Amino acid sequence: MVTIYDIAAKAGVSAMTVSRVINNTGKISDKTRTKVRRVMEELNYVPNHMARSLVLQQSNLLFLLITDITNPFYTTLARGAEDAAKKHGYRLLFGNSDENVEKEKDYVDTILATRADGVLVAPAGDPSLPHLETLRKHRVPFVLLDREVPGMDSDVVLGDSKEGARKLVDHLSAQGHRRIALINGSPYISSARLRLEGYKEALKLNDLVYDENYVLETAFEPRSDLSEIESWLDRMKPLPSAIVAGNNVLAVEVIRTLHGRGIQVPQQMSLVCFDDLGPYSEIDPFLTVIAQQAYQFGYLGMQMLVERIQQRGESGLPWKKIVLPADMIIRRSVAAISAPK
Amino acid sequence: MVTIYDIAAKAGVSAMTVSRVINNTGKISDKTRTKVRRVMEELNYVPNHMARSLVLQQSNLLFLLITDITNPFYTTLARGAEDAAKKHGYRLLFGNSDENVEKEKDYVDTILATRADGVLVAPAGDPSLPHLETLRKHRVPFVLLDREVPGMDSDVVLGDSKEGARKLVDHLSAQGHRRIALINGSPYISSARLRLEGYKEALKLNDLVYDENYVLETAFEPRSDLSEIESWLDRMKPLPSAIVAGNNVLAVEVIRTLHGRGIQVPQQMSLVCFDDLGPYSEIDPFLTVIAQQAYQFGYLGMQMLVERIQQRGESGLPWKKIVLPADMIIRRSVAAISAPK
DNA sequence: TAAAATAATGTTACCGATAACCTTAAATTA
DNA sequence: TAATTTAAGGTTATCGGTAACATTATTTTA
């Protein structure tokens, strides 16, 4: 590998002069600058970030930790984070925790060892607390995305989950639905908790009764085994006329399960959910959803992170919380019920 | 930040002894080992990868460069690459070039500066050649995914694009279609070229005539402006009865455009494409596709990369080419045509 | 019992860059 | 013209690790 010493020797100057040319610091004569530049080109010099980071004590590297790389919500979020990072001159690396607290821990270790300047984290859930405490202890700035973790104050970008759930239930109720079920993520995930709360509140406001058999709390990520959903469907007697899914993945799996039983959406079962399906909802604008502004989660989160990093030391800055609105897109997955049963 | 020197001082040993404990090298008495370990825990020591990489001249970091992070083909591929990297003890970072040769160049620079041990690249296209030459010149091992680049020999994982195109056309022909159009990626992308070739060959074998007005060569990635597709549709007189799309993104955009004109798939227009739509094709198993084994692209590519890295020096190893089969999944986006016109 | 081997640890130099300080010659200023 | 500045560049130490080569005790072997 070519180093600044090779350049220095060939150009007949000191390594420091080469460093000055590279970073445009100090005073350098045009003649020297040109000569050094020429030699750099000639030898295909590429600076060594690691050596640089070691002295500077900062890596110019940021990390984005998401929980499901195959979910369009997170990939769109990633695009937003990427764009914002690039705008501020940072490099961005991605990690994928798979909703798995263990994998998340591995990534946190990697992040610390890499001496990343900051992290954007969509935490796996409340059990992520120790990882966040580790980051805090090592003074790595971070911003939480999509989910809060009780016991840890920080900057955070959230969606308005409670309001979103209310809107979905209100919409179903307005279409005449009286038996509305909820399939949701784990209660150890803040957004799932809020969605459950919103669901309950909206039921009450619409004079519908809450029945815990109508609620399934499971995992937000894709599963190979649908039996949990199957037995939930078996448990509900009578079957609901509509289902609210806590995210897009759950909605898809509900559809798979229903299709397996020959139940059509929306003819025999209405379905709504959180998060859109990415560009593919364009093929067939079918699912009625709360379309969270995924790109903004990433973009705004990254902006907050960069601010934090650049104000390091001035610790006074209070934590910021951004709550993005829950906008409903009405499509065709809800049938109107004429005669209330 | 806590360093091995802090540990060494507190444990009353030398830094080298701490290093030995961390890496499990050399001979260390149990007593010393235990003491050092305890101090490390106490001080929350985290090793500094950068310092380590600097001496060792290897970073244990691999890179995956994809062209469209919102495309399920690539995110699934990423999962495969991630799993294989983890299996071999490497850390993996992702980059997203957006089918953009400029961005790709930026990433290549970052990769070199980061001193990554190797790279998995889905190149933007033939114009990526100089970037690959740069990697080669700096002796960074790489494996190409999904696309070859003329003029650059290397390990590569491809799909059988020609065969896939043939299968799609054969299927359409068998359903009675005589006017089959093709919307494809740029001719500067090897897979697009092969898909065009397969399309032409299959036309000939099925006694169909090739009409260049029926072929649109555009970009594989999502676009905001559909006018190019619009004017292509205008240009085709009469309209084809079926369209082959070079990838999933193009298929989606064709559907959007057709819907804008009130043309239904498959009633008024049949449509098939390369690459599945991820989990969301489960909602509505609609599109007939060549479902490439995305996960395998990433997994096998990563295996080849790791082999290359570990055999560094033994340059004799010939380049390997893996061609994954093109399996067709027949669904409902093709209508049978009874009376040939 | 002296010589050789081994276990356990320490010293020094270096990876590639940069900050902080130092030197020299030319240009300003008084 | 002598005293200061300034421009242009060099020297040295350091970031946090590790390889390679000492250095000691302590065993083992002849």
Side-chain angles (χ1 to χ4, degrees), chain A residues 200-220:
Chain A
K200 285 185 182 171
E201 279 183 19
L203 286 184
K204 192 168 290 174
L205 288 172
N206 287 281
D207 286 322
L208 303 175
V209 286
Y210 167 70
D211 175 348
E212 64 179 16
N213 279 319
Y214 275 42
V215 173
L216 175 62
E217 298 188 304
T218 176
F220 269 144

Side-chain angles (χ1 to χ4, degrees), chain A residues 77-109:
Chain A
L77 179 156
R79 284 293 309 274
E82 195 186 18
D83 288 351
K86 171 156 282 179
K87 200 182 85 180
H88 292 283
Y90 284 93
R91 293 174 299 146
L92 180 65
L93 309 179
F94 302 77
N96 173 222
S97 72
D98 261 332
E99 298 277 3
N100 178 325
V101 180
E102 285 307 305
K103 281 199 192 177
E104 191 174 76
K105 184 187 179 329
D106 286 350
Y107 270 110
V108 166
D109 288 344

Side-chain angles (χ1 to χ4, degrees), chain A residues 2 84 98 110 136 140 179 188 212 241 245 275:
Chain A
V2 178
D98 261 332
T110 296
R136 181 62 44 85
V140 179
R179 295 190 314 278
Y188 295 110
E212 64 179 16
S241 63
D275 299 334

